Amino acid sequence: MFPCRRLYLFFSSVLVFSSCYAPRTAQQAEARLYQNHTLQEDTSTLYQLPFAPDTRHRMIQGYYSRHTHKHKAAIDFKMKVGTPVYASRSGKVISTKSDSDKGGFNKKYRPDANYVMIEHEDSTRASYRHLRFEGVTVTQGQYIYAGQQIGYSGNTGYTVMPHLHFSVARFIDGRWVSIPTRFQSSKAAGYLRPLYLYTSINKTPDLETPVDIHVLAN
């Protein structure tokens, strides 16, 4: 059993979440060890932070947290509505939604989240959710480079406050399973930790570089 350390954030006098969780699977336990820097070596893909270079945002909910990520290796960044959102990794846009103006802290709003979904060359898929009404700036089938803007953050769907929800999934044993992801930030390369502020050091993509034919062929 891992030590349980409850941490709380208040934004506009609203209690957002508790970052404490007890790992339930081997993947969750391993993610916790990387997150706490108990394990150091990791050869998994390194993602860019999904916001503009030299800007910073606080991670308000992490992998498998007790709030709404109990079974998800997903993370939430606190963001004001209208904040530019950037691709964390290159790939092809396979699905978008931008016609919703509904949201609130009720599960009935879950289908109302605007989003962009991008498939990477290894067939994993990244989801950027809770974008604002008409806040998607890319189209289905378009190839996107890491560091390229894909939309604007919002507060649509099942949400208690404006934020960006980010997750990556891999198809395992006949179903899509979210997987922990590590990021490059001004602090270091690794798994992000709840309640910390992270500053993006993203590079502006070279849009003249030839696209990845493998991705386009999928």
Side-chain angles (χ1 to χ4, degrees):
M1 178 67 69
F2 289 92
C4 182
R5 182 168 57 95
R6 292 188 178 277
L7 299 175
Y8 296 97
L9 273 184
F10 285 85
F11 294 113
S12 303
S13 301
V14 177
L15 178 63
V16 178
F17 75 103
S18 167
S19 67
C20 171
Y21 71 88
R24 290 169 288 277
T25 68
Q27 178 174 283
Q28 292 178 20
E30 183 179 57
R32 185 62 174 266
L33 292 174
Y34 278 122
Q35 195 174 47
N36 291 340
H37 306 298
T38 303
L39 294 178
Q40 297 292 333
E41 185 176 353
D42 189 350
T43 58
S44 62
T45 300
L46 190 60
Y47 288 76
Q48 295 188 13
L49 290 168
F51 39 88
D54 301 319
T55 64
R56 64 179 187 170
H57 293 276
R58 190 180 301 278
M59 181 176 143
I60 57 173
Q61 188 176 191
Y63 320 102
Y64 312 112
S65 65
R66 292 187 184 277
H67 184 40
T68 57
H69 295 176
K70 288 182 180 179
H71 306 289
K72 299 177 183 177
I75 55 180
D76 291 341
F77 293 100
K78 183 174 183 287
M79 281 189 185
K80 293 181 180 179
V81 174
T83 302
V85 174
Y86 293 77
S88 291
R89 185 179 174 188
S90 300
K92 183 176 67 173
V93 178
I94 60 171
S95 183
T96 68
K97 176 180 172 61
S98 62
D99 61 354
S100 172
D101 60 359
K102 299 178 181 179
F105 193 47
N106 189 310
K107 291 182 180 180
K108 71 177 184 179
Y109 293 114
R110 195 183 295 276
D112 297 313
N114 294 323
Y115 66 86
V116 171
M117 185 175 292
I118 296 176
E119 184 173 271
H120 311 129
E121 65 174 356
D122 60 359
S123 297
T124 58
R125 296 178 175 182
S127 181
Y128 306 75
R129 305 186 72 84
H130 305 303
L131 305 183
R132 76 180 186 187
F133 174 63
E134 297 184 345
V136 174
T137 60
V138 294
T139 58
Q140 186 172 337
Q142 181 179 354
Y143 187 89
I144 300 300
Y145 292 88
Q148 184 175 344
Q149 186 177 349
I150 59 174
Y152 295 92
S153 65
N155 197 32
T156 58
Y158 180 32
T159 172
V160 69
M161 63 184 296
H163 71 280
L164 174 69
H165 173 100
F166 176 88
S167 63
V168 174
R170 185 186 300 279
F171 198 67
I172 303 174
D173 296 331
R175 65 189 182 95
W176 288 99
V177 179
S178 60
I179 58 175
T181 47
R182 63 189 188 114
F183 292 82
Q184 180 67 61
S185 73
S186 62
K187 294 181 183 295
Y191 288 72
L192 306 186
R193 305 179 71 177
L195 308 184
Y196 282 76
L197 275 169
Y198 289 96
T199 301
S200 168
I201 56 173
N202 295 351
K203 305 290 186 181
T204 302
D206 178 6
L207 300 183
E208 300 301 320
T209 301
V211 299
D212 189 323
I213 301 301
H214 172 75
V215 173
L216 294 180
N218 286 344

